[in-house]
């Protein structure tokens, strides 16, 4: 992404979707200078390689399962990064209201538990993109898979889980959670859980655009 240092240039880059969280990349996404492409997001991509190129057996086998036998390898969890406009970037995500999600969501945990609030940040946990409530006005933590559906006219990107600054020390002293970095915590509803609070996987913090 060095091209941004040398002026405005058009780009199209294949990378891992983990790069969305990189400190050099996320600010560009947040400022709408960079976004995901129209296709092949969060998918395996297969690439032809030169004869004799070293390919791990697992990648070769996965490429074969996708129908590519021979000199091929694959890149998992891949996506396109670009600053080229495309129509899908401006398509709104079809969503239900918060109350309708709790009644009709296809996800059992949403119907049974509703939306949990984080212990250390004022936002709700939304573990599935299709469960984002269209009428919630506060901050929401969503999976990174949200980014290939993100419409800048529908949502504002607030930050990542690194936005968390509130200390969890009082809970750690009581042994109610397993400490670890700038992460978001929710109450663990599993009655057999070791800790009262559990960390959630990497999240993008968003807010509905009013």
């Amino acid at each position: 992404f060095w091209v941004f240092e040398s002026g405005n240039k058009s780009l199209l880059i294949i990378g891992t979707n983990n790069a969305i969280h990189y400190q050099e990349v996320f600010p560009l996404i947040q400022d709408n200078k960079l976004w995901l492409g129209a296709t092949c997001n969060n998918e395996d991509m297969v690439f032809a390689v030169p004869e004799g190129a070293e390919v791990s057996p697992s990648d070769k086998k996965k490429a074969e399962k996708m129908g590519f036998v021979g000199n091929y390898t694959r890149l998992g969890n891949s996506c396109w990064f670009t600053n080229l406009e495309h129509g899908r970037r401006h398509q709104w995500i079809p969503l239900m209201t918060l109350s309708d999600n709790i009644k009709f969501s296809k996800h059992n945990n949403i119907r049974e538990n509703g939306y949990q609030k984080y212990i250390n940040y004022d936002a709700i946990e939304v573990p599935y993109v299709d469960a984002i409530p269209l009428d919630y006005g506060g901050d929401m933590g969503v999976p990174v898979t949200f980014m290939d559906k993100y419409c800048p006219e529908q949502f504002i990107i607030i930050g990542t889980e690194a936005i968390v600054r509130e200390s969890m020390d009082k809970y750690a002293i009581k042994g109610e959670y397993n400490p670890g970095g700038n992460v978001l915590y929710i109450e663990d509803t599993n009655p057999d859980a070791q800790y009262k609070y559990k960390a959630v996987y990497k999240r993008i913090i968003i807010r509905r655009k009013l």
Side-chain angles (χ1 to χ4, degrees), residues 84-124:
L84 301 173
E85 280 290 358
H86 57 82
R88 287 187 62 182
R89 172 170 136 78
H90 300 283
Q91 292 179 358
W92 285 44
I93 308 171
L95 300 169
M96 295 190 292
T97 64
L98 187 145
S99 60
D100 279 350
N101 268 292
I102 293 174
K103 290 179 183 177
F104 307 118
S105 174
K106 66 181 181 181
H107 306 289
N108 291 339
N109 55 335
I110 295 293
R111 294 198 311 273
E112 294 172 2
N113 303 316
Y115 294 89
Q116 292 183 267
K117 277 210 162 190
Y118 296 120
I119 304 302
N120 55 333
Y121 183 73
D122 186 15
I124 60 171

Side-chain angles (χ1 to χ4, degrees), residues 121-132:
Y121 183 73
D122 186 15
I124 60 171
E125 160 71 354
V126 184
Y128 316 100
V129 174
D130 61 7
I132 297 173

